Amino acid sequence: MNDRYNPKSIESKWQAKWRDANLFVTQNNPDKPKFYYLDMFPYPSGALHVGHVRNYAIGDAIARYRVMNGYNVLHPMGWDAFGLPAENAAIKNHVHPAEWTERCIVQMHEQFDKLGIAFDWNREVTTCRPDYYKWTQWLFIQFFNAGLAERRTANVNWCPKDLTVLANEQVKDGRCDRCGTLVEQKPLTQWFFKTTAYAQRLLDDLDTLTDWPERVVKMQREWIGRSEGVNFRFKVKGSEDEIEVFTTRVDTVFGVTYMVIAPDHELATKLTDGTEWELPAREFRDHVARQKDEQRDRSVDIPKEGIFTGAYCINPMNGEDVPIWLGNYVLSDYGSGAVMAVPAHDERDFEFAKKYDLPIKVVVHPPASISFKRLSAVNAAPVESEWRSLNGTSLNEIGVSVAYTDKYEGSLVNSGEFDGLNPTEAREKIADFMEQNGIGERAVNFKLRDWCLSRQRYWGCPIPVVYREDGSIETVPEDQLPVMHPTDIKFTGKGGNPLAQSESFINTVDSEGRPARRETDTMDTFVDSSWYFLRYCSPDFAEGAFRRDQVDRWMPIDQYVGGVEHATMHLIYARFFTKVLFDLGLVGIQEPFPRLFTQGMVTMLAKGVGENGEDKVMKMSKSKGNVVALDDAVERFGADATRMMTLFMGPAAQDAEWTPQSEDTFAGQFRFLERVWRTAMTVKFNPQWREQIGASGTDADRALRRRTHQTIEKVGSDIERFQMNTAISALMQHLNTIQEWQSKPDGDPNAGSEAIESLLLVLSPFAPHLCDELGEQLGFTKSFYEMTWPSFDPQIAKEEEIVIPVQVNGKLRARLSVATDMSREALEALALASEEVGPHLEGKTPKKVIIVPGRMVNIVV
RNA sequence: GCGGGUAUGGCGAAAUGGCAGACGCGCCAGUCUUAGGAACUGGUUUCUGGGGGUUCGAGUCCCUCUACCCGCACCA
C-alpha cells in the first residue's frame, strides 16, 4: 500500500475508471426526480485557468451532491464555438477557423477531464458544427416566417479594426469589447430580431423570476426601460409635415418653448435644405456624429449643443409658434427622435435654454410646502419665494438656476383650463383631452432595441437566406440546410467579410432555379447560445433542433450558473428565444432559467493594463496575462486541491482575488487532503460498523459521532445554499475531531468507521479522486458517485451540554455549563446564584431577567 | 448624476438580533526524526469604516456620513 498521498497517480487512475465505466452518463430512472444543472458554456479558448475551475467546481459539487441524493442529473458541457478569436487566429497563423477551434476544444476537453468534472460528454454540444448550426438556421427561418426577423437599414456600431458590426451590448465605453478599438457609427442594412415585440412580456415575467439575484432582475428591468407617456404631433408651420414627439410629462405641454430634433432626424435635412440653414445643419450633423463616437469613449457628459433650423411648428394645445432646433442631446433611435422642450421643468432642456437664451416658461408651481432641499438638489438653489413669484415670467430674467422637475407635487399655471391641477392629475386630464380631440394618444416606449444579429464575419452561423434577381428574399429550403461555409477562403484580415469575397458561396439559385445571391452576413454568437440548453436535452437528434418530449422532460433548467456579465445580453436573448419558441408551439415553457446564480469571478493583479499603464486587479484572463494556469495548479497540488482551493477562497457569489498569499492557502488545502489521506489510512475501519455501533461509548466517542452527524447536515445544507467555503470548513472541523478522537485511548472503532465513511461521502463532491481512492483502500467496490448521501440523526447531532453566557446589564459576567434543555426557571436560579454574577448585582434585586433557553441569560439591574 | 453592492485580526474569511473572529493562511515558541511540500503541541492580548437611533442585548435592524467596487448614464 502506498502510504503517501500522491494526487497525480490517483487522479489519472480514477479519471480513467470513471470514463471506462461511463459513470457520468445521464441517468433516466423513471422513479427519480430530474435535476438539470447548467453552467454557461465557455468559448473554447484552449486553456483553462483557476478562474474557470471555480465555476465548474461549484457546479460539480452540486451535481454530484444531487446524484447522491437520488436525482437523475443532467450536467452537460459544450462549446460556444463561433466567434472572432478563431478568425483572428486564421489571419495570424493561416489555420482554418474550424481547425483552430476544434484543436482548442480538444485541449479544453482534456483539461476538464484532468479536473474530474462529472460532465456527461455524450451530450456535448458544439455550436460551430453543422449538426448544430443547421438547427440554428432552421430556427432563424421559423423566426423569419413568424415575422420576427427582418432586414432594415440602421445606424450601427462599426468596429473599424474587426470590420464588423457590434451590438450595443458589445460596446464598452465606446470601444469594441473584443479588441478595444474606438467604435464608429455606420448606416448598413442589417438583420434584426424583433425583441421589442416581446419587451412587455420580458418585463412582466421578471416578476416570476423570484430565484434570480435581485440585481440581475433590476439590470434587466432597466435595460428594457419601459416608460409611459403620450405621443402627439406638432404641425410644421407652412408645410404638411408633422413632428411627432413622445413625452412622459404631457402635463407640461403648455410650457413648450422650443422643439429639438435629432440631427439625423428625417426632417432635419428637409426643413433646412434650400435655406440659409442648410450648410450649418449639415455641418452640425457631422459634428454630432463625430462627437457621439468620442463621447462613448470618454463616457462623460458632453455639453449640450444645438442649432436653429429656421423653421417653426405649432403647439397643438395652445397654438403657439415653437422654434425647431437640432440638438446633440436628442437620440434618433428612441421614441420618434424629437423632444418637446420644457426648460422650466426639465434639467436638460433648461441647460440648453440657458445656453441659447431660449425662453423659459413656468407651468408648474412648486407647492408652498416644498422643501428647500429638493430645489437645491441641482446647482445653486433658488429660494422658495423666488419660485412663487415667477408666475408667467421668464426665469432668465430672474436668474433662477434650476428647473423644477418634480412630477407629483405642485399645481399647474399658464395651462388654460388645466390650471390648478397637480401634475399627476394633469397628465391624465391632458392625455384624455388629446385623445378625445385627436391630438395625440397614450403610448409606451422601451429603451430595449431590436436585436441586430448581422455580423460581417466568416466564423459565425450563416444566415440561410438568398436574394432573388428581383431583389426579393427567400429562405433556404429545409432540405438544403445547413448553409455551410465555403472553403475557398483566404483569411487576410482585409476587405471585410470573407464570405462576401467567395464567388462559390455567393452565387446560387433560388427555389425556381434562377440565379440568386446568398446572404453573406453571419449571426451574432448570442443566437447560438440562445437555445443550446434545449439541444442538450437531445443532442444527437437529427430530425429537428430538439425532441419535444426530451425538452418537456428536462426543461426548465433547475439551476443555471454563470457570470453576472451576462445579465443583460445572453440572459435576455435566451429568455426572448424561449418565449418565441413557446409562441410557435415548439416548447412548453416561457422561462428557461427559473433559478439563476451568478458566481463571483477570480481576479488577479494584471501588470500595466490600466489606462496609464498602471497595474490593476481584474478578472483572470489570458489576454491580460493575469492567469494561474490550470496545468500548473494541477501539476503542483492535484485537481482535488485545486478545486477545493478555488471554493475555499470565499463565498461563491463574491469575487475572490488571487494574491501571492493564495499560494500558501493553496498548499493548506493540499495539507488538508493529505491529513484526510493519513487519517483514513490509519483508522481501523469496520465495514459492519452500522450493525455494531452502540449508543454508549466514551465521551470522545459521543463527541465524534455528534460531529459526524453535524457535519453531514452542515455540508448538505451549505452545498444547497452555494456556501462551499463553509462546507469545506465544516469538513476540516470534522477531520480535526477525528484526529482528536484518535489521540485518545479506548475509542470505539465503529464510531471511527462511521466518522471516516461519512467524511469521505460528504467530501467526495469536492475531492472525488481522493475519496474514491480511499474508498477503494477501505474496501468499497463502488465510486462514491454511486453511493447515497448519508442521512444524519438529529438526536446524535444534538449537543449534550452547552455553555450559556450570563450577562449583567449586557456585559458578560459568567459562563454556565448546563444541559442543553435546561428550563427557563432553572437557568434563572443558577445564574442568580452564580459566584461570578453576585458581585455585579451589588445587592440589588434584578429589575428584569431575560432568558433565552439554550442561548443566554441577561440580568438587568 | 441615478441604481446596486461591499467595509470584521497581519491575510482569506465565519457568525437564525444572543459568548465576535469558526475554518484556513501567515507569524512566534516548543516537541519529534524515515530532514518532508514534514507532522504534532501551545501561543498570536476588548475588536466589526465614522456618527446617531431602536432593543435587556446590534457585525446583524433603522437613519446618516466616508471610502472602494459594479451596473446604467442625455431614454424626453
Side-chain angles (χ1 to χ4, degrees):
Chain A
M1 192 194 291
N2 185 353
D3 59 1
R4 279 211 73 78
Y5 170 44
N6 180 353
K8 213 178 278 183
S9 67
I10 67 173
E11 285 174 3
S12 55
K13 167 184 164 184
W14 284 97
Q15 283 156 15
K17 280 195 168 218
W18 297 335
R19 189 169 49 243
D20 294 344
N22 278 323
L23 195 61
F24 304 138
V25 169
T26 308
Q27 300 298 306
N28 262 309
N29 184 334
D31 300 331
K32 291 180 175 181
K34 67 100 180 176
F35 192 87
Y36 186 174
Y37 181 95
L38 188 63
D39 285 302
M40 292 180 187
F41 66 168
Y43 177 81
S45 61
L48 292 177
H49 53 67
V50 297
H52 295 109
V53 175
R54 192 173 193 228
N55 300 359
Y56 301 113
I58 292 168
D60 201 38
I62 293 172
R64 286 174 182 267
Y65 170 77
R66 288 286 176 174
V67 168
M68 293 173 78
N69 276 283
Y71 288 83
N72 292 314
V73 171
L74 176 54
H75 184 214
M77 182 42 61
W79 315 101
D80 190 11
F82 275 131
L84 290 179
E87 206 164 328
N88 292 336
I91 295 163
K92 215 169 135 191
N93 307 322
H94 307 291
V95 51
H96 193 275
E99 198 189 322
W100 187 83
T101 305
E102 292 292 343
R103 226 185 277 161
C104 287
I105 288 173
V106 168
Q107 279 176 29
M108 232 154 124
H109 189 142
E110 277 172 11
Q111 293 193 311
F112 275 126
D113 285 344
K114 250 190 207 178
L115 273 176
I117 308 286
F119 291 130
D120 178 359
W121 287 107
N122 291 345
R123 290 177 182 257
E124 180 176 4
V125 153
T126 308
T127 60
C128 70
R129 290 185 192 157
D131 66 344
Y132 184 88
Y133 70 72
K134 172 179 182 178
W135 301 110
T136 307
Q137 292 174 349
W138 182 83
L139 287 166
F140 173 91
I141 292 170
Q142 309 314 304
F143 277 55
F144 179 82
N145 292 339
L148 290 168
E150 64 178 29
R151 243 162 79 87
R152 62 170 182 264
T153 305
N155 248 347
V156 293
N157 303 305
W158 174 258
C159 173
K161 177 151 181 285
D162 290 337
L163 296 171
T164 192
V165 170
L166 302 168
N168 286 338
E169 302 90 292
Q170 290 170 312
V171 180
K172 288 265 145 60
D173 295 333
R175 291 175 180 274
C176 172
D177 73 347
R178 296 267 162 93
C179 69
T181 308
L182 212 57
V183 170
E184 296 170 359
Q185 300 299 304
K186 186 170 174 173
L188 275 181
T189 306
Q190 305 282 323
W191 281 97
F192 286 84
F193 280 147
K194 285 192 179 171
T195 39
T196 51
Y198 281 73
Q200 189 64 50
R201 278 168 65 191
L202 287 167
L203 181 67
D204 289 343
D205 288 353
L206 285 176
D207 292 338
T208 69
L209 302 178
T210 49
D211 285 315
W212 275 36
E214 210 178 317
R215 63 175 173 149
V216 175
V217 173
K218 277 205 170 108
M219 280 162 82
Q220 292 214 349
R221 190 162 277 143
E222 226 171 82
W223 193 265
I224 294 166
R226 182 184 199 274
S227 62
E228 289 179 9
V230 171
N231 272 335
F232 68 104
R233 289 149 295 276
F234 286 64
K235 282 203 167 56
V236 176
K237 228 180 155 182
S239 138
E240 290 302 300
D241 291 319
E242 291 183 328
I243 300 176
E244 178 159 291
V245 297
F246 171 75
T247 180
T248 57
R249 291 297 308 274
V250 75
D251 50 313
T252 63
V253 66
F254 289 88
V256 175
T257 55
Y258 62 100
M259 166 77 63
V260 209
I261 63 179
D264 48 345
H265 190 281
E266 54 170 347
L267 278 179
T269 44
K270 199 170 171 190
L271 291 175
T272 52
D273 278 1
T275 72
E276 58 177 308
W277 305 99
E278 178 176 348
L279 198 60
R282 281 174 194 278
E283 280 172 358
F284 182 71
R285 188 184 57 218
D286 294 344
H287 166 71
V288 172
R290 275 194 306 277
Q291 203 175 39
K292 289 253 187 255
D293 294 340
E294 287 163 24
Q295 177 212 9
R296 284 171 185 269
D297 174 34
R298 288 194 304 263
S299 73
V300 289
D301 286 351
I302 52 173
K304 292 183 179 35
E305 291 177 55
I307 179 173
F308 182 46
T309 60
Y312 289 82
C313 57
I314 298 162
N315 185 336
M317 291 301 284
N318 58 11
E320 283 177 11
D321 284 359
V322 176
I324 304 169
W325 286 63
L326 307 184
N328 67 344
Y329 72 103
V330 176
L331 306 172
S332 58
D333 57 353
Y334 180 79
S336 55
V339 171
M340 64 169 217
V342 185
H345 306 294
D346 181 284
E347 281 169 24
R348 295 154 304 182
D349 298 340
F350 183 84
E351 186 189 330
F352 192 85
K354 287 289 254 191
K355 179 162 181 176
Y356 294 104
D357 208 19
L358 292 156
I360 297 171
K361 182 180 168 191
V362 171
V363 290
V364 183
H365 251 195
S369 62
I370 186 152
S371 68
F372 183 79
K373 195 174 174 189
R374 183 177 295 130
L375 284 175
S376 66
V378 185
N379 302 330
V383 293
E384 186 190 332
S385 57
E386 201 176 1
W387 266 110
R388 276 190 276 162
S389 67
L390 284 175
N391 203 345
T393 48
S394 158
L395 274 175
N396 275 354
E397 293 162 31
I398 296 181
V400 168
S401 55
V402 66
Y404 176 68
T405 57
D406 195 289
K407 53 198 269 200
Y408 304 109
E409 291 177 56
S411 59
L412 265 67
V413 294
N414 296 323
S415 299
E417 61 186 282
F418 303 99
D419 279 359
L421 295 175
N422 78 35
T424 309
E425 296 165 342
R427 273 194 293 282
E428 295 306 315
K429 291 268 162 61
I430 295 177
D432 288 343
F433 179 88
M434 284 184 162
E435 287 184 339
Q436 283 153 17
N437 293 280
I439 295 171
E441 53 287 325
R442 285 182 170 84
V444 172
N445 252 305
F446 294 94
K447 282 197 230 175
L448 184 77
R449 308 293 149 91
D450 281 334
W451 174 9
C452 177
L453 63 107
S454 285
R455 295 293 181 274
Q456 285 67 47
R457 274 284 166 174
Y458 176 84
W459 199 231
C461 177
I463 294 175
V465 158
V466 299
Y467 300 98
R468 297 198 197 102
E469 281 180 311
D470 65 3
S472 60
I473 294 173
E474 74 177 31
T475 54
V476 174
E478 193 174 331
D479 61 11
Q480 290 173 30
L481 297 180
V483 174
M484 304 203 17
H485 299 86
T487 49
D488 61 336
I489 298 280
K490 282 201 187 78
F491 294 94
T492 60
K494 295 191 177 84
N497 184 0
L499 287 181
Q501 298 166 41
S502 167
E503 292 298 321
S504 69
F505 180 77
I506 294 171
N507 295 317
T508 183
V509 291
D510 66 16
S511 53
E512 284 160 36
R514 292 171 305 208
R517 293 174 66 80
R518 270 192 205 288
E519 170 65 66
T520 58
D521 284 358
T522 52
M523 297 184 210
D524 181 4
T525 57
F526 280 116
V527 181
D528 309 324
S529 56
S530 288
W531 72 281
Y532 77 110
F533 46 90
L534 300 172
R535 187 69 185 171
Y536 281 137
C537 299
S538 50
D540 300 321
F541 189 46
E543 279 82 52
F546 43 81
R547 274 179 54 175
R548 177 65 191 265
D549 63 332
Q550 289 304 302
V551 166
D552 287 346
R553 164 159 177 64
W554 290 105
M555 290 296 290
I557 289 159
D558 295 277
Q559 182 67 63
Y560 197 36
V561 176
V564 72
E565 66 269 23
H566 293 108
T568 51
M569 314 193 239
H570 165 59
L571 287 172
I572 281 191
Y573 294 144
R575 292 182 61 221
F576 165 69
F577 249 68
T578 304
K579 288 184 190 309
V580 173
L581 296 181
F582 175 86
D583 289 353
L584 295 176
L586 295 172
V587 302
I589 47 148
Q590 298 223 42
E591 286 291 341
F593 323 120
R595 279 178 68 87
L596 174 71
F597 179 81
T598 51
Q599 95 279 1
M601 46 193 186
V602 177
T603 62
M604 187 171 161
L605 193 72
K607 300 274 184 201
V609 296
E611 273 175 33
N612 305 309
E614 73 274 18
D615 298 348
K616 227 174 138 181
V617 174
M618 50 200 310
K619 182 179 178 175
M620 266 194 189
S621 104
K622 209 168 150 187
S623 62
K624 303 285 189 248
N626 59 337
V627 292
V628 174
L630 173 86
D631 287 340
D632 295 347
V634 170
E635 177 67 25
R636 287 166 62 204
F637 297 112
D640 285 338
T642 304
R643 291 161 57 130
M644 304 249 324
M645 166 59 194
T646 62
L647 297 179
F648 191 68
M649 284 176 83
Q654 241 173 59
D655 288 355
E657 187 185 348
W658 192 283
T659 63
Q661 287 77 35
S662 302
E663 302 288 325
D664 291 327
T665 311
F666 201 171
Q669 293 303 311
F670 181 83
R671 280 204 293 275
F672 167 67
L673 295 180
E674 235 180 353
R675 281 168 61 214
V676 171
W677 175 272
R678 239 178 305 126
T679 305
M681 287 305 196
T682 53
V683 88
K684 286 194 182 60
F685 186 70
N686 174 13
Q688 269 78 49
W689 62 265
R690 224 173 290 271
E691 289 77 45
Q692 295 171 17
I693 198 162
S696 56
T698 62
D699 286 354
D701 289 338
R702 290 202 311 281
L704 178 60
R705 296 204 68 198
R706 199 182 306 134
R707 173 69 81 187
T708 298
H709 286 259
Q710 287 173 345
T711 302
I712 294 168
E713 181 189 16
K714 171 84 173 148
V715 173
S717 67
D718 278 356
I719 289 175
E720 288 185 20
R721 291 178 301 151
F722 286 89
Q723 315 245 330
M724 307 305 168
N725 55 332
T726 50
I728 291 171
S729 109
L731 291 165
M732 290 170 163
Q733 288 179 63
H734 188 195
L735 179 66
N736 291 346
T737 308
I738 296 174
Q739 291 193 319
E740 203 177 308
W741 171 85
Q742 276 186 314
S743 71
K744 288 180 181 154
D746 305 325
D748 176 1
N750 294 308
S753 299
E754 178 191 40
I756 201 74
E757 180 177 325
S758 304
L759 174 66
L760 295 179
L761 275 163
V762 300
L763 174 63
S764 68
F766 303 100
H769 310 87
L770 170 73
C771 291
D772 273 357
E773 175 64 21
L774 289 173
E776 189 181 71
Q777 304 269 4
L778 295 179
F780 292 99
T781 53
K782 285 195 291 189
S783 164
F784 282 101
Y785 187 81
E786 299 171 281
M787 295 191 214
T788 303
W789 190 261
S791 55
F792 73 95
D793 183 338
Q795 279 309 313
I796 299 173
K798 196 173 157 192
E799 298 287 345
E800 291 172 3
E801 203 172 62
I802 49 170
V803 177
I804 299 272
V806 180
Q807 300 175 345
V808 179
N809 288 337
K811 284 212 171 85
L812 181 69
R813 296 302 184 190
R815 287 159 202 255
L816 302 173
S817 280
V818 302
T820 316
D821 47 5
M822 182 174 270
S823 71
R824 192 174 279 270
E825 293 73 24
L827 271 175
E828 176 168 356
L830 207 59
L832 289 171
S834 151
E835 273 177 36
E836 294 98 324
V837 169
H840 298 287
L841 296 178
E842 296 161 0
K844 293 174 204 152
T845 330
K847 236 187 259 172
K848 200 173 170 187
V849 182
I850 291 132
I851 298 156
V852 184
R855 279 292 187 182
M856 48 71 67
V857 177
N858 189 12
I859 303 165
V860 187
V861 188

